[in-house]
Amino acid sequence: MSRERQLHRYPFVPVVALLPEDFVARLTRLKEASGLTWDGFASMIGVDYRQVLRWCKKSCEPAGGAMLALVEFADQVPGGPDIIRGRNRQVPDGGRE
């Protein structure tokens, strides 16, 4: 299959991956939802807690592996996927949507 035909088959336009402006707030909400300390939170995603603090100070961003671990951790926290993706869904009383 020619390269031109492959491009038409998968119409994906590459974009620059940037963290959202409210990433630190999302990270904090995820940590709070998990009930862990910053140290415990960092351990769960496999990084040193000082690295998480650097993310919070916006002096650096999570690398690919850390970001994947963060998303996988969010999958284990109730409401975590919505928190990390910035979707603020409210769950009515009783826990049913």
Side-chain angles (χ1 to χ4, degrees):
M1 182 180 296
S2 72
R3 177 156 172 77
E4 182 178 314
R5 188 171 178 135
Q6 285 178 340
L7 292 176
H8 290 292
R9 185 172 173 201
Y10 301 106
F12 175 75
V13 178
V15 295
V16 176
L18 299 174
L19 287 179
E21 289 183 23
D22 67 339
F23 178 73
V24 174
R26 294 179 192 189
L27 198 64
T28 302
R29 284 194 306 270
L30 182 62
K31 194 255 328 163
E32 290 170 354
S34 73
L36 296 170
T37 63
W38 281 114
D39 191 36
F41 179 80
S43 293
M44 290 300 292
I45 57 175
V47 299
D48 187 82
Y49 82 98
R50 291 173 291 191
Q51 187 64 31
V52 174
L53 295 180
R54 287 184 200 105
W55 299 341
C56 290
K57 292 179 183 178
K58 297 185 179 182
S59 60
C60 69
E61 298 178 350
M67 184 58 81
L68 178 60
L70 183 59
V71 170
E72 288 177 346
F73 173 73
D75 284 341
Q76 299 174 32
V77 175
D82 288 334
I83 293 169
I84 205 67
R85 290 182 180 97
R87 297 180 187 144
N88 295 322
R89 292 189 342 203
Q90 298 294 323
V91 177
D93 290 337
R96 293 192 182 111
E97 296 185 293

